[in-house]
Amino acid sequence: MVEMFKLGGVDVTKEEVLKILTKSKENDNDDEYDEEDLAENEDHIRCDNVMLESFLNGFITFNRGQQDPKPGQPQRPEMSIKSHGSVNNVVLKKLKIALALTSEEIQDILEEAGVTITKSELGALLRKEGHKNYKECGDKYARNFLKGLAIRYRS
């Protein structure tokens, strides 16, 4: 019998999780990933935005538990990749929540990956889309934030 896991609401097998987490090429250059190469590679499953968001929501719930709304307060709308312009901003915010990181800790994580960011720049990345000081999180920050997390948590 195949064992199924819930990945933030998405049913997957252990083998599928391993394929999702498998890097498709040895090269770190994102520009060299080709859709055809990904489709032909049987050892890799492409993680789409729905799966990514489901995983991040499950990660938040796993780390801090289910958050029930307080009596008398309206339900807060959930930040969603579908309704948000930048996937990187949502990933940054959700990982900040899941890992209970402060802004200073995020700055330190980026610093470990070799990127310096000011507190005001970071605040702009964490703002709600539509705010006058909102800034889209570029691939450089997202990639180096994930790299810094790997450095920090694997040490």
Side-chain angles (χ1 to χ4, degrees):
M1 179 172 188
V2 177
E3 189 176 5
M4 297 295 287
F5 298 96
K6 281 269 193 218
L7 183 68
V10 177
D11 290 326
V12 292
T13 65
K14 183 177 180 178
E15 290 76 27
E16 289 173 330
V17 172
L18 292 173
K19 287 180 180 183
I20 291 167
L21 296 174
T22 300
K23 195 171 183 180
S24 58
K25 285 192 175 184
E26 291 299 319
N27 195 334
D28 286 335
N29 188 350
D30 293 338
D31 297 336
E32 294 190 23
Y33 291 118
D34 187 2
E35 292 293 325
E36 293 173 16
D37 290 342
L38 290 176
E40 292 174 10
N41 190 347
E42 294 177 7
D43 296 330
H44 178 79
I45 296 176
R46 185 179 173 101
C47 181
D48 61 10
N49 288 348
V50 173
M51 190 180 295
L52 176 63
E53 185 163 29
S54 294
F55 170 77
L56 291 172
N57 290 338
F59 189 45
I60 289 170
T61 302
F62 177 78
N63 280 348
R64 70 173 203 179
Q66 187 67 36
Q67 298 290 310
D68 297 322
K70 294 178 183 167
Q73 286 191 338
Q75 182 75 17
R76 291 182 65 184
E78 188 175 303
M79 128 185 72
S80 170
I81 291 175
K82 292 174 237 159
S83 65
H84 207 276
S86 174
V87 173
N88 293 341
N89 288 72
V90 174
V91 169
L92 183 68
K93 289 177 193 178
K94 288 192 180 226
L95 286 174
K96 180 183 188 293
I97 293 166
L99 298 172
L101 298 172
T102 64
S103 295
E104 290 79 18
E105 289 172 323
I106 292 175
Q107 286 178 295
D108 292 342
I109 288 168
L110 285 166
E111 190 82 27
E112 288 177 34
V115 175
T116 304
I117 187 171
T118 66
K119 193 166 186 161
S120 60
E121 287 175 316
L122 179 59
L125 298 177
L126 297 172
R127 296 232 182 248
K128 186 175 182 179
E129 189 174 21
H131 188 278
K132 68 176 185 166
N133 293 332
Y134 169 82
K135 180 181 175 188
E136 191 169 305
C137 182
D139 290 340
K140 174 187 170 188
Y141 287 131
R143 181 178 51 250
N144 284 297
F145 178 66
L146 293 174
K147 180 180 176 183
L149 282 175
I151 292 168
R152 176 171 283 197
Y153 287 101
R154 286 183 183 164
S155 300

